[in-house]
Amino acid sequence: MSAEQPPTREVVTGVPRGARRRPGHAPARSEISEQTPLGTVYVRSLMRSQLRAGLYALGVLALLVGTLPLLFAFPAAVLGSFSSPEPFVWAMLGVVVYPVMWLVARWYVRKAERNERDFTGLVEGR
């Protein structure tokens, strides 16, 4: 019988743990520019977060504008025959609607900028 030789030993090497990335090279950026499946996932996640913020803002504005007819009918229902609802309508449009629309728009812009900032940080590896 022949003596069995011990199996040859193989050394597996990889990138050293302390190795730094080259400046300007981020894995996510190359994934996106090369249009790999992972890059597609990154872009879709940004698009989904932007869509979610836009739909939320649209829903709030639709709720606000959709309830206006009920709000305009309120004085006539409470006070009986209200002779002229125009002052109330103008007050609601000027005092309530536009400031709320401005706040929703401001929230949306900040949310969209935060989404883009987070995405840029991910892509650049920060």
Side-chain angles (χ1 to χ4, degrees):
M1 289 194 137
S2 68
E4 288 187 36
Q5 292 184 357
T8 58
R9 199 173 164 124
E10 294 182 30
V11 178
V12 179
T13 61
V15 178
R17 290 185 180 169
R20 299 183 73 177
R21 284 190 236 150
R22 293 183 312 226
H25 175 70
R29 182 182 296 171
S30 64
E31 295 286 340
I32 293 169
S33 65
E34 293 172 7
Q35 297 180 353
T36 64
L38 182 59
T40 304
V41 169
Y42 286 143
V43 172
R44 280 189 182 165
S45 75
L46 173 66
M47 290 172 62
R48 253 185 277 123
S49 62
Q50 296 291 50
L51 178 65
R52 192 177 311 117
L55 289 176
Y56 182 77
L58 180 66
V60 169
L61 290 175
L63 185 65
L64 173 71
V65 173
T67 58
L68 284 178
L70 296 174
L71 189 62
F72 295 157
F74 180 72
V78 172
L79 301 175
S81 65
F82 194 66
S83 62
S84 178
E86 285 89 19
F88 178 74
V89 170
W90 283 110
M92 287 298 108
L93 286 175
V95 175
V96 176
V97 174
Y98 285 111
V100 172
M101 286 174 61
W102 183 82
L103 288 172
V104 170
R106 182 174 174 176
W107 172 85
Y108 172 74
V109 168
R110 286 182 177 221
K111 180 71 174 169
E113 288 174 349
R114 186 178 320 124
N115 289 340
E116 290 173 1
R117 193 175 330 115
D118 293 345
F119 181 74
T120 303
L122 174 72
V123 168
E124 292 179 354
R126 285 190 252 160

